[in-house]
Amino acid sequence: MQPNTPGTKKGYLMTRPRHPREELQVIIDEDKPAYVQSLFDSIAGDYDRMNWIMTGGLLALWHRSFLRETALGKGETALDVCCGTGDLTLAMAERVGGYGRAVGVDFSENMLEIARQRSDRSSARRGSERSPISWLRQDALNLELPDGGRDSGFHCTSMGFALRNVGDLQRSFNEMARVTRIGGRVVCLEVSRPDNPIMRAGFQFYFYRMVPLLGRMAEKRLPPESALRRLRPYTYLPYSLDHLPPPREILELMRRAGLANVRRVPLTGGIVSLYVGEKS
């Protein structure tokens, strides 16, 4: 009889549980867009609450910095790609005012439905102070929107905390740049690793250890047969950062998309960053 060895039980080879990084790679190789769509459809109802819990209220500060970088003015136009439940879309809609225009795009219908409900409540409060918003179900890699030019296109195109989730970063930047008008901006808000070693160590512990634990509150609703139990949503979200290029490479992708004056703006010690470029 074969003796027991590490990784065996009573002579039979046991399947080693995959580390989240390995499971994520399998998901990427199989069909990352389908997984991401299912993921955000499943957590849509808890998404806003969990964001505020996990960011400790810092989200409002990051949104203010984001709005400054958009450089949007009254009467202008804004597009939010991968808009989720509409945080940034609503903020830009208020920025451009009643004579402006805002569009939110996402491929999760559950997220869009919550965004529409939030928009309706906001309209009742704000009235003509805020621009009307169009909520569209579209793919970030193939936006069904016209090219931007000197007198057409969006004054600002944004993406918030979604660079990690798109299937092709270069193509997503190409699409965002394409629909932006000449002189307009592309602004992306995303999680990043701090440069300071001490802050980075604290960030690593919180992002990879605490976020999945906090996420159990939302994930307990997943049915036992859900495919998302392969890699739970709030385990996927931290480990997806492993597949995001470093900041210098992100800026290079923006340049290749035709954006000029590209720069990174670290926030809160670099735990998140704004990536800004201008269409020339």
Side-chain angles (χ1 to χ4, degrees):
M1 179 179 291
Q2 182 181 357
N4 288 340
T5 59
T8 67
K9 183 178 181 180
K10 294 183 179 180
Y12 294 97
L13 183 65
M14 295 176 62
T15 302
R16 178 178 61 86
R18 282 196 286 242
H19 187 277
R21 286 191 173 92
E22 296 175 304
E23 189 62 65
L24 177 56
Q25 187 59 56
V26 173
I27 288 167
I28 290 171
D29 293 341
E30 289 178 353
D31 193 345
K32 181 180 178 181
Y35 176 86
V36 171
Q37 184 174 0
S38 297
L39 182 154
F40 284 103
D41 276 339
S42 74
I43 65 174
D46 296 291
Y47 187 73
D48 292 321
R49 178 171 59 93
M50 291 302 301
N51 275 352
W52 281 100
I53 291 172
M54 290 189 296
T55 64
L58 289 171
L59 203 57
L61 296 176
W62 300 338
H63 285 180
R64 284 202 285 271
S65 297
F66 163 83
L67 281 175
R68 282 196 298 271
E69 292 299 335
T70 65
L72 285 167
K74 296 297 183 183
E76 295 188 333
T77 55
L79 170 67
D80 188 18
V81 181
C82 300
C83 66
T85 58
D87 271 349
L88 298 183
T89 323
L90 288 163
M92 290 192 291
E94 290 186 19
R95 185 87 169 194
V96 302
Y99 294 100
R101 176 180 172 233
V103 178
V105 167
D106 204 283
F107 71 171
S108 167
E109 184 56 44
N110 289 358
M111 287 285 196
L112 286 173
E113 182 55 34
I114 292 173
R116 292 185 189 103
Q117 293 170 10
R118 295 182 66 192
S119 179
D120 290 343
R121 291 193 297 269
S122 175
S123 293
R125 293 194 307 269
R126 298 285 182 175
S128 61
E129 297 176 14
R130 199 210 70 189
S131 80
I133 302 175
S134 300
W135 303 102
L136 307 175
R137 188 172 186 269
Q138 292 191 13
D139 184 350
L141 304 185
N142 187 28
L143 296 173
E144 299 172 39
L145 296 165
D147 294 355
R150 293 196 177 278
D151 301 309
S152 61
F154 296 95
H155 291 87
C156 180
T157 301
S158 72
M159 183 179 284
F161 300 112
L163 289 175
R164 291 167 293 138
N165 300 321
V166 297
D168 186 330
L169 264 181
Q170 184 64 74
R171 189 170 167 184
S172 68
F173 278 126
N174 291 348
E175 282 292 275
M176 285 190 283
R178 178 182 65 78
V179 301
T180 303
R181 71 170 52 207
I182 294 173
R185 290 188 174 189
V186 171
V187 182
C188 297
L189 178 63
E190 185 54 271
V191 177
S192 58
R193 291 185 174 87
D195 296 325
N196 181 284
I198 296 175
M199 284 203 68
R200 179 182 284 243
F203 167 82
Q204 295 279 110
F205 174 79
Y206 181 78
F207 200 54
Y208 289 99
R209 301 292 183 182
M210 297 306 296
V211 166
L213 288 177
L214 291 171
R216 293 293 185 265
M217 290 185 289
E219 294 167 351
K220 64 184 180 182
R221 300 184 187 180
L222 291 174
E225 69 278 7
S226 172
L228 295 178
R229 288 191 178 275
R230 289 178 55 190
L231 183 61
R232 293 173 179 268
Y234 287 93
T235 300
Y236 162 84
L237 291 171
Y239 282 97
S240 62
L241 181 60
D242 293 353
H243 294 268
L244 188 70
R248 65 180 181 278
E249 293 184 23
I250 292 175
L251 296 177
E252 180 57 31
L253 292 175
M254 296 176 75
R255 291 188 190 95
R256 291 177 190 170
L259 299 172
N261 302 321
V262 299
R263 56 196 171 88
R264 175 198 179 201
V265 182
L267 304 175
T268 318
I271 63 175
V272 299
S273 292
L274 284 163
Y275 298 94
V276 186
E278 301 172 10
K279 184 171 178 178
S280 57

